[in-house]
Amino acid sequence: MTEDNITTLLTERAKTHGDAASTFSLAGDLITALLAHRGDMEGIRPHEFAIVNILHKIARISCGSYHDDHWNDIKGYADLGKQLHKELTETCQGG
């Protein structure tokens, strides 16, 4: 990818995702709150990674313009997170 292509891509993304610094800052704050609430540093479990992706989409929605993909991605991440969390819970409970 050329430098011009990257610049064009980032300009287009800024229209739907908002300013990168604002979006990344908000996403970082949301993820920090999630990890602080957990109170441990054992690492992110698979279903929590789905939550992180949802938080990133929320930051894009909050800082950018309307884009169907953000909302559809949240649905997908929520379904995957639900499935992974259920599997983890069943495994931990032995059933």
Side-chain angles (χ1 to χ4, degrees), residues 16-84:
T16 57
H17 298 14
D19 174 69
S22 296
T23 302
F24 291 173
S25 177
L26 177 56
D29 290 346
L30 293 168
I31 294 164
T32 298
L34 170 69
L35 295 175
H37 178 75
R38 280 244 330 262
D40 64 53
M41 299 310 278
E42 71 183 45
I44 295 175
R45 295 172 285 207
H47 71 282
E48 292 172 328
F49 190 74
I51 294 169
V52 168
N53 282 308
I54 290 168
L55 294 174
H56 188 207
K57 292 296 179 174
I58 289 170
R60 284 184 172 176
I61 290 166
S62 296
C63 296
S65 63
Y66 177 81
H67 195 50
D68 276 346
D69 284 351
H70 300 325
W71 295 99
N72 293 334
D73 287 348
I74 287 173
K75 289 179 192 177
Y77 289 131
D79 262 2
L80 291 170
K82 177 181 175 182
Q83 181 180 6
L84 292 167

Side-chain angles (χ1 to χ4, degrees), residues 83-95:
Q83 181 180 6
L84 292 167
H85 193 201
K86 181 179 180 184
E87 290 170 8
L88 176 68
T89 301
E90 289 173 350
T91 300
C92 290
Q93 294 175 353

